[in-house]
Amino acid sequence: MPTRRLVLASAAAAALAACSKSAPGPGFHAVDITGADYARDFSLADQFGKTRSLADFKGKVVVVFFGFTQCPDVCPTTMAELAEVKRQLGADGERLQAIFISVDPERDTPEVLKAYMENFDPGFIALRPTPEQLPAVAKDYKIYYKKVEGKQPGSYSMDHSAGSYLYDPQGRLRLYSRYGSPSTDLLADIKVLLAA
């Protein structure tokens, strides 16, 4: 009989441990999308021509942002904020990987993307879907993009979603950070993900 009680006590302890693991995590500032069935991965060429996927960044918090290099405000603001967050992380900054995915592969050549990333941080990665890949990537990430003709013939801009996706060091999608959120909130969320 004592053995049966011990087994039951062990089973109860295991059940409680399982429950505590699935309990809600720390309060995030960004939208918690843990367990979402989209934005799970990518397989795209970076600015150096190397094909990248989330597995390449295991052990790091990955922040994925969609934009284009001729964007006048949202894109450079987001990338500058990510560079500042990386700086504020100190030694842990090396465990943050910013990834910029272009919605304008027509103009965002590898050379243009290399120069653009250098403006913010040489460790940042830019991915360039081909025009054929872009619709599928955008659909998988539930992002919007649209070419908007400019006033001059041949000139155009791109409307696009402006939030960022955050992945934990195990490569799991965890958060969606809306554009315009304070960078201090982003920093706090990244610290939580790094500590988990």
Side-chain angles (χ1 to χ4, degrees):
M1 233 12 171
T3 309
R4 186 164 186 264
R5 281 195 197 125
L6 187 58
V7 169
L8 288 173
S10 295
L16 285 173
C19 287
S20 67
K21 281 181 187 170
S22 64
F28 290 111
H29 297 282
V31 180
D32 189 338
I33 54 173
T34 302
D37 64 351
Y38 56 91
R40 288 191 176 170
D41 206 352
F42 48 78
S43 181
L44 300 168
D46 69 12
Q47 70 264 45
F48 306 105
K50 182 177 179 182
T51 300
R52 300 295 201 134
S53 71
L54 278 172
D56 295 330
F57 310 105
K58 202 97 168 168
K60 296 184 177 190
V61 168
V62 175
V63 180
V64 173
F65 175 80
F66 286 80
F68 66 113
T69 61
Q70 294 192 35
C71 175
D73 42 33
V74 173
C75 303
T77 299
T78 299
M79 299 311 291
E81 284 177 353
L82 285 170
E84 179 58 21
V85 164
K86 182 177 177 180
R87 189 191 66 75
Q88 289 182 22
L89 285 169
D92 276 341
E94 292 308 309
R95 295 180 60 211
L96 171 65
Q97 182 62 62
I99 297 179
F100 176 93
I101 301 181
S102 175
V103 295
D104 187 14
E106 187 179 326
R107 294 182 297 192
D108 288 346
T109 64
E111 293 71 28
V112 168
L113 290 169
K114 274 183 215 168
Y116 192 69
M117 291 298 103
E118 288 289 333
N119 288 324
F120 305 105
D121 187 284
F124 286 3
I125 297 292
L127 301 177
R128 181 178 179 258
T130 64
E132 294 75 29
Q133 290 172 319
L134 183 55
V137 174
K139 182 178 180 184
D140 183 51
Y141 275 78
K142 298 187 181 295
I143 67 116
Y144 164 84
Y145 72 96
K146 183 181 179 186
K147 191 174 189 176
V148 179
E149 296 301 328
K151 293 178 182 175
Q152 304 300 321
S155 70
Y156 66 90
S157 184
M158 299 294 295
D159 280 349
H160 63 93
S161 303
S164 300
Y165 290 99
L166 279 74
Y167 296 80
D168 66 20
Q170 289 75 44
R172 296 174 300 206
L173 178 62
R174 299 296 303 277
L175 304 173
Y176 180 78
S177 178
R178 292 185 177 99
Y179 174 72
S181 301
S183 60
T184 50
D185 288 356
L186 181 62
L187 176 63
D189 286 347
I190 289 170
K191 284 181 175 178
V192 170
L193 291 176
L194 285 172

